[in-house]
Amino acid sequence: MTSTLVVDGANVVGSVPDGWWKDRAGAARRLHERLLVADTAYDEIVLVLEGQAKGGVKAGRDAHVRTVHAARDGDAEIREQARRAGEAGGHVVVVTADRALAANVAPAQVLSPSWLLDRL
């Protein structure tokens, strides 16, 4: 059984007040770089980016990290990525602090940005 970690890039970056709002693309790039070298138990990490953050990382796969650029809003894309991974029969975890989003990704497990950042 495969395991997929779907990361709400905006929510994770926004959870740390380090000036990310001045350079959203750079913040997304730094998160992507950290995910690439992270030692996780997940077969695939899906990083969902929206808005200006999309300029920091090209869409596509780098090793075990697949970056997806949201066509509309990030929440809709995160729900879609979690649904696809779940339909493929694997274990799905979504990283977000957005309560409305968390309520709409069932049966995926939801973990907080701090959980992820503690592992990076």
Side-chain angles (χ1 to χ4, degrees):
M1 177 164 76
T2 62
S3 59
T4 304
L5 184 69
V6 181
V7 178
D8 180 346
N11 202 262
V12 172
V13 166
S15 70
V16 180
D18 61 359
W20 60 265
W21 53 90
K22 297 175 190 172
D23 181 11
R24 294 170 195 262
R29 185 178 54 257
R30 288 188 297 277
L31 175 59
H32 179 260
E33 289 168 354
R34 292 173 72 188
L35 290 170
L36 281 174
V37 298
D39 184 19
T40 71
Y42 295 91
D43 298 308
E44 180 179 49
I45 298 174
V46 179
L47 173 60
V48 177
L49 300 176
E50 60 184 301
Q52 294 175 351
K54 294 189 290 188
V57 184
K58 65 179 172 43
R61 179 177 297 282
D62 292 309
H64 64 288
V65 178
R66 183 167 52 91
T67 302
V68 176
H69 289 174
R72 299 183 317 258
D73 65 288
D75 289 3
E77 189 62 45
I78 291 162
R79 286 191 302 272
E80 177 63 15
Q81 293 298 320
R83 183 191 64 75
R84 286 182 188 176
E87 285 180 354
H91 177 68
V92 183
V93 175
V94 174
V95 176
T96 188
D98 182 323
R99 289 182 184 169
L101 175 60
N104 288 299
V105 294
Q109 179 182 2
V110 177
L111 295 172
S112 71
S114 61
W115 173 89
L116 178 61
L117 292 171
D118 286 349
R119 283 145 184 83
L120 299 180

